[in-house]
Amino acid sequence: MSHDVHVSVEELRLSDELAGGEGRAPSADAAEYALWLGDDALILSQQLAGWISRAPELEEDVALGNIALDLLGHARSLLRYAGTWDDRSEDDLAYFRDEPDFRCAWIVQQPNGDFAQTIARQLIASTYMYELYSVLRTSTDETFAAIAAKSLKEVDYHRDHAVQWVLRLAGGTELSREKMIRALGDVWPYVDELFRDEPLIDRLEGVAARPSMLRAGFDAVIQTVLAEADLEVPAAKASRAGGRHGSHATPFGHLLAEMQVLARRHPGATW
């Protein structure tokens, strides 16, 4: 065995950890789009991290923690790219923006609730993200394409994890099935927001994935999963959620305060 190779954590550059190139976002619109997707991943990661040490079983504690870390990686790449437009770091964007400046969809803002609610939110979010990154990996923007190609493999696992739990809960006890049905009904009003074609998307033709074009693939997967679980697609009225425009659900402020408190109290702190 050769002894010529030496690797240490200190020698790894931050840029090597993250998907995408070193280039500046080509336009303010591209930076804004990166912010949308980065905020979705960041807030969902923060939510799932809340299960660490509280999951129903040890293996699930590890699984949810790993999914949260994957999403944090996606968020770092996307926020880093967004920040190249106006020279802000990923930390600036995560910890030093106020609530109206975030652009995350309402589905990722929904509280963890019980385990069934977290799984229902994960089923929707991961299925949407899988469709999103499947299209975005062919983006004319090389950075978006690179981030999507890397993220797609991980989101595929996230989706399978959620599907397996939906089947287990729906086919488990009477109580677990009842909770799964209620959880799907609670989060379903926030699905439509993910598939709205905002004006920003029109200005990013070929760069962004058009949300409305992702809906058919999303519906096909959800319908297949729910049919296998002998569940019905909820008949819930769509929410008027406006996360892409900085209008957020009530619990979001509390989540943000918890996520940002350390960085804001001790700006520039290092270990």
Side-chain angles (χ1 to χ4, degrees):
M1 176 183 291
S2 170
H3 298 285
D4 295 336
V5 177
H6 173 71
V7 176
S8 69
V9 173
E10 289 75 14
E11 291 175 354
L12 292 176
R13 295 182 308 158
L14 176 63
S15 58
D16 293 336
E17 295 181 54
L18 307 175
E22 294 283 350
R24 179 187 174 100
S27 68
D29 286 340
E32 175 74 5
Y33 184 61
L35 205 59
W36 288 16
L37 307 189
D39 284 350
D40 282 353
L42 175 68
I43 298 305
L44 190 56
S45 171
Q46 176 71 15
Q47 299 272 40
L48 292 177
W51 277 103
I52 295 175
S53 81
R54 297 177 175 81
E57 56 189 41
L58 185 59
E59 186 177 357
E60 195 55 27
D61 205 298
V62 175
L64 291 175
N66 282 333
I67 293 172
L69 283 174
D70 286 345
L71 290 166
L72 189 61
H74 306 169
R76 290 182 65 193
S77 294
L78 288 159
L79 295 182
R80 179 167 171 260
Y81 191 41
T84 59
W85 181 252
D86 54 6
D87 296 324
R88 285 186 289 178
S89 71
E90 64 203 63
D91 286 343
D92 292 336
L93 292 169
Y95 297 128
F96 297 98
R97 279 184 296 156
D98 294 327
E99 186 176 333
D101 300 323
F102 277 78
R103 294 293 179 265
C104 46
W106 280 34
I107 184 69
V108 300
Q109 301 176 28
Q110 298 311 301
N112 282 337
D114 61 23
F115 189 65
Q117 281 185 284
T118 290
I119 291 301
R121 187 185 64 202
Q122 273 303 104
L123 177 68
I124 292 170
S126 60
T127 303
Y128 157 74
M129 288 179 176
Y130 185 86
E131 298 298 322
L132 168 72
Y133 292 135
S134 294
V135 173
L136 202 59
R137 63 182 169 170
T138 62
S139 169
T140 55
D141 182 304
E142 292 182 356
T143 300
F144 281 131
I147 293 171
K150 178 180 183 296
S151 303
L152 184 63
K153 301 171 187 172
E154 295 166 345
V155 169
D156 187 21
Y157 161 72
H158 303 172
R159 185 180 64 167
D160 183 63
H161 173 268
V163 168
Q164 296 307 316
W165 269 110
V166 169
L167 297 178
R168 287 179 67 181
L169 294 174
T173 65
E174 185 177 336
L175 179 60
S176 71
R177 181 175 177 82
E178 178 186 319
K179 288 191 172 186
M180 194 67 250
I181 292 171
R182 184 167 62 241
L184 286 167
D186 287 344
V187 298
W188 198 258
Y190 308 106
V191 169
D192 280 7
E193 183 190 17
L194 296 170
F195 301 100
R196 288 182 196 154
D197 289 337
E198 302 284 353
L200 176 69
I201 304 300
D202 296 332
R203 301 195 297 271
L204 290 173
E205 187 68 36
V207 172
R210 181 165 288 280
S212 61
M213 299 295 287
L214 307 176
R215 186 64 190 258
F218 171 89
D219 284 341
V221 171
I222 295 295
Q223 287 167 6
T224 299
V225 173
L226 296 188
E228 189 170 346
D230 193 24
L231 298 174
E232 295 182 356
V233 176
K237 185 178 179 182
S239 163
R240 297 175 63 184
R244 303 304 189 202
H245 301 282
S247 173
H248 299 296
T250 302
F252 184 61
H254 300 289
L255 182 148
L256 212 54
E258 183 176 272
M259 187 181 78
Q260 295 180 333
V261 62
L262 186 62
R264 291 203 177 211
R265 283 189 181 176
H266 306 283
T270 58
W271 294 99

